[in-house]
Amino acid sequence: MKTKHLLVLIVLLFEWNSMYSQDKEDNKVVHDFEMELESEYRYFYDDALFEDQKDHFPSLAIRPEYNINWNKGYESINFKGFFRLDVDDERTHWDIRELYYQKAKNNWELSLGLKKVYWGVTESNHLVDIINQTDAVETFDGEEKLGQPMAQFTWITDKFGTFDFFYLPYHRKRTFAGEKGRLRFPVVINKDDLTYESSAQEWRQDLAFRWKHYFDILDIGVSHFYGTGREPLFTFDETGNINAFYPVINQTGLELQITHNAFLWKLESIYRHAKAQDFFALVAGLEYTFSNIDGNGLDIGILGEYLYDERDELALNALQNDVFFGSRIAFNDTQDTSILIGGITDLESNSTIFSLEASRRFGSSWTAEIEARIFNEIDKNEPILSNFREDSFLRISISKYF
């Protein structure tokens, strides 16, 4: 009898120990820290169009990342920081790209804090990507974004797709190049001088929604944003002075991508309503990839897109009736070598912007990048682009990852 009781006690102790170990495993906290140090040099080889602009821009950047997760990874706190030191005072800046708490459970996710969200499928212009403000002093193509304070709720279903709901309590202004900087207007724009249409100013409470799903070869996304726009509206008077403000907008966006064999057919379109102007814009095109050309993994993609925008002189970009052409080359080697070359041509004025982006890893923790933008035969009547006609540049950067 005593032996039986002893066996039962051993079994109970084993079960308790197993449950305790499992509980410890469930509550295990995992930390992950990474950091990128970047040395960058930008050279503008044409004489400056405006007084006090410089030609040489060496700079340093730091990008730390930290993640802590627990509850088997279903809960986490995520951080991405950024700091750059540059010759241009306005390009010397820092930002919290992301700092948010996230919880996932069953078929939903909740995120609270500063976060970056990307929407879009096209290459040359991301019309529907409206949640985050553009970091305009960091890159010319608008790919870099500022962290956006938000509450995001995501509901994931098998049959009906994914639904994203956003509450955006605070608007962040765009920063423009300073007196020494290139890619700027004749008048240096101080972001603090830009006003708001809303009386609540940057504290207007904005809302957004997006639905995405796929049907066989078709991926679709539909979104709506109601709030203070991320792009300021610019008006120019006869003396060259610039007036700008952030309007309240309603924007509905559509994303479509069809994958058929080696073809990708892409479409982004928006309709935006504001008191100043209603307009429609779209980007439509395709990408065809020649795969494994040399038998060693070389992929070459051919890209072509058409860009249309009804805004005319109120547009913050020059992409109103243009064609984009380009090629994406991926070597798929251990160094992750890739090249993207292309150009955008205005069908009315023949103004053209050529571009080159290339990157390659060295060793296990180094990356080199080259970027070039060439402004060719820019029409002086272009309200925005004409200010950049002497700003062709070459950028070289080397990054070390820890």
Side-chain angles (χ1 to χ4, degrees):
M1 193 71 177
K2 290 182 179 180
T3 304
K4 183 178 179 181
H5 289 166
L6 180 60
L7 289 174
V8 171
L9 181 61
I10 291 173
V11 170
L12 290 174
L13 287 173
F14 178 81
E15 290 294 332
W16 178 84
N17 184 68
S18 176
M19 292 175 60
Y20 177 75
S21 299
Q22 183 66 40
D23 187 62
K24 284 185 65 178
E25 185 67 26
D26 289 349
N27 291 296
K28 183 179 179 181
V29 178
V30 179
H31 303 264
D32 185 33
F33 176 78
E34 297 178 2
M35 185 166 62
E36 175 189 353
L37 297 180
E38 177 196 71
S39 175
E40 180 192 85
Y41 173 69
R42 293 190 304 160
Y43 172 57
F44 293 81
Y45 51 84
D46 290 326
D47 293 336
L49 190 62
F50 308 120
E51 190 176 358
D52 297 323
Q53 288 183 306
K54 303 296 183 181
D55 299 331
H56 303 272
F57 292 86
S59 70
L60 297 172
I62 302 174
R63 298 180 178 90
E65 297 185 19
Y66 176 70
N67 170 272
I68 177 173
N69 67 78
W70 62 97
N71 190 16
K72 291 185 176 181
Y74 289 107
E75 292 184 80
S76 63
I77 295 175
N78 308 274
F79 167 77
K80 291 184 180 180
F82 174 79
F83 172 76
R84 181 176 296 282
L85 179 65
D86 192 88
V87 174
D88 179 7
D89 292 339
E90 292 298 330
R91 199 167 185 254
T92 296
H93 66 301
W94 67 275
D95 181 46
I96 299 176
R97 299 299 202 210
E98 293 190 322
L99 178 56
Y100 65 95
Y101 162 79
Q102 184 174 67
K103 179 178 177 61
K105 187 173 183 179
N106 298 328
N107 64 338
W108 60 265
E109 294 180 0
L110 175 66
S111 299
L112 300 171
L114 286 94
K115 192 178 179 183
K116 289 171 62 176
V117 174
Y118 171 76
W119 298 347
V121 295
T122 57
E123 183 68 40
S124 55
N125 192 19
H126 307 303
L127 289 171
V128 301
D129 192 28
I130 194 172
I131 294 295
N132 293 83
Q133 178 61 272
T134 297
D135 190 342
V137 294
E138 187 58 24
T139 58
F140 172 74
D141 57 14
E143 296 287 344
E144 286 291 336
K145 302 291 184 176
L146 302 178
Q148 169 62 44
M150 69 175 69
Q152 176 187 3
F153 180 79
T154 301
W155 180 39
I156 305 167
T157 70
D158 293 330
K159 292 184 178 181
F160 304 107
T162 300
F163 300 83
D164 284 301
F165 304 88
F166 298 87
Y167 167 63
L168 311 168
Y170 184 80
H171 179 273
R172 302 191 65 186
K173 289 183 176 181
R174 184 175 301 195
T175 300
F176 297 89
E179 190 173 28
K180 299 177 183 178
R182 291 296 193 104
L183 300 164
R184 70 166 173 85
F185 298 105
V187 178
V188 177
I189 298 176
N190 187 327
K191 69 177 183 180
D192 295 331
D193 293 335
L194 273 63
T195 59
Y196 287 94
E197 178 183 331
S198 171
S199 60
Q201 300 185 26
E202 65 267 35
W203 289 103
R204 190 187 189 282
Q205 310 300 286
D206 301 337
L207 300 171
F209 163 81
R210 183 176 184 240
W211 168 74
K212 62 180 179 180
H213 200 25
Y214 66 90
F215 303 92
D216 194 19
I217 63 173
L218 173 66
D219 290 273
I220 183 172
V222 177
S223 59
H224 189 80
F225 173 92
Y226 174 55
T228 299
R230 276 36 182 166
E231 292 180 319
L233 282 179
F234 282 87
T235 58
F236 301 84
D237 61 27
E238 296 179 355
T239 62
N241 292 322
I242 301 173
N243 299 308
F245 69 97
Y246 289 95
V248 176
I249 66 171
N250 270 285
Q251 175 177 304
T252 301
L254 172 66
E255 308 157 61
L256 293 175
Q257 179 170 287
I258 297 174
T259 305
H260 181 64
N261 297 326
F263 280 99
L264 286 177
W265 301 86
K266 305 177 182 183
L267 169 72
E268 285 188 38
S269 66
I270 61 171
Y271 180 78
R272 185 180 297 175
H273 168 74
K275 287 184 178 179
Q277 185 185 39
D278 295 350
F279 74 91
F280 170 78
L282 69 81
V283 182
L286 61 87
E287 178 175 353
Y288 182 86
T289 301
F290 298 92
S291 301
N292 199 23
I293 293 175
D294 61 352
N296 293 315
L298 177 65
D299 296 339
I300 298 180
I302 306 299
L303 303 98
E305 294 177 350
Y306 172 68
L307 303 93
Y308 174 75
D309 195 313
E310 291 182 331
R311 274 178 288 185
D312 297 325
E313 68 275 1
L314 288 180
L316 190 54
N317 62 58
L319 309 176
Q320 298 169 36
N321 184 22
D322 300 65
V323 172
F324 166 78
F325 52 90
S327 177
R328 192 197 318 275
I329 304 171
F331 290 83
N332 294 311
D333 53 2
T334 56
Q335 291 80 30
D336 197 23
T337 308
S338 64
I339 302 172
L340 176 63
I341 56 175
I344 297 178
T345 299
D346 191 305
L347 295 178
E348 298 176 2
S349 68
N350 293 322
S351 298
T352 304
I353 306 174
F354 295 104
S355 63
L356 165 68
E357 298 176 32
S359 66
R360 180 182 174 89
R361 283 208 313 261
F362 293 91
S364 60
S365 60
W366 294 86
T367 298
E369 295 183 356
I370 297 176
E371 177 187 2
R373 304 283 174 175
I374 301 173
F375 298 90
N376 184 58
E377 296 184 2
I378 304 301
D379 191 331
K380 293 184 179 180
N381 294 319
E382 290 268 12
I384 300 295
L385 201 57
S386 61
N387 298 290
F388 311 148
R389 63 182 183 270
E390 302 297 334
D391 287 343
S392 298
F393 68 90
L394 173 68
R395 182 184 73 88
I396 300 174
S397 70
I398 298 177
S399 299
K400 168 71 174 175
Y401 296 87
F402 298 90

